Amino acid sequence: MSGDPAKVENPRRHALVGLKRDIEHEMHDLAELLKKASADVGGRRSWAGPNATAWHSDIEGRRKVMLAQLSSLLPTVQAEINRTPEKVSPTEAKLMQLDLRR
């Protein structure tokens, strides 16, 4: 019998892959939601005037910053996925699962 027990899926890696998928999904959803809000005001469908123009400029600026910040997360999460082993020992997996529940 070898001293190397069977390896199991790494729960931390699984969580990181899920996080990346969630970020990508949220980026799409938030971009579309803010795009619609901006278009409604910017196109003068629901509000016109100097305040509407200022609001439109503000929401467009915030939208761009938010999407840039979310986009910068993706390479960071991917780098961590790449560093995280696919398989770990059952004991390591159990400890990781406990840690992920916090």
Side-chain angles (χ1 to χ4, degrees):
M1 185 172 193
S2 74
D4 186 20
K7 299 281 186 167
V8 296
E9 295 295 322
N10 185 335
R12 185 168 190 273
R13 184 180 175 96
H14 179 74
L16 287 166
V17 169
L19 174 63
K20 183 180 176 200
R21 185 178 51 247
D22 290 347
I23 291 170
E24 290 168 337
H25 180 73
E26 292 300 321
M27 280 178 60
H28 178 267
D29 287 352
L30 288 171
E32 291 304 309
L33 288 171
L34 292 177
K35 184 187 227 179
K36 174 150 176 38
S38 176
D40 285 350
V41 173
R44 293 180 169 79
R45 291 183 196 159
S46 61
W47 187 19
N51 289 336
T53 301
W55 188 89
H56 174 74
S57 295
D58 184 52
I59 197 73
E60 274 301 304
R62 290 174 188 264
R63 178 176 173 261
K64 287 177 185 172
V65 168
M66 179 196 63
L67 292 175
Q69 289 174 343
L70 285 172
S71 293
S72 72
L73 285 175
L74 290 174
T76 303
V77 174
Q78 185 60 55
E80 191 61 28
I81 290 169
N82 295 344
R83 279 193 296 272
T84 306
E86 289 184 32
K87 304 270 186 177
V88 293
S89 72
T91 302
E92 288 174 305
K94 187 173 184 176
L95 290 172
M96 287 178 190
Q97 287 171 342
L98 291 171
D99 193 42
L100 289 169
R101 289 184 186 153
R102 290 188 206 180

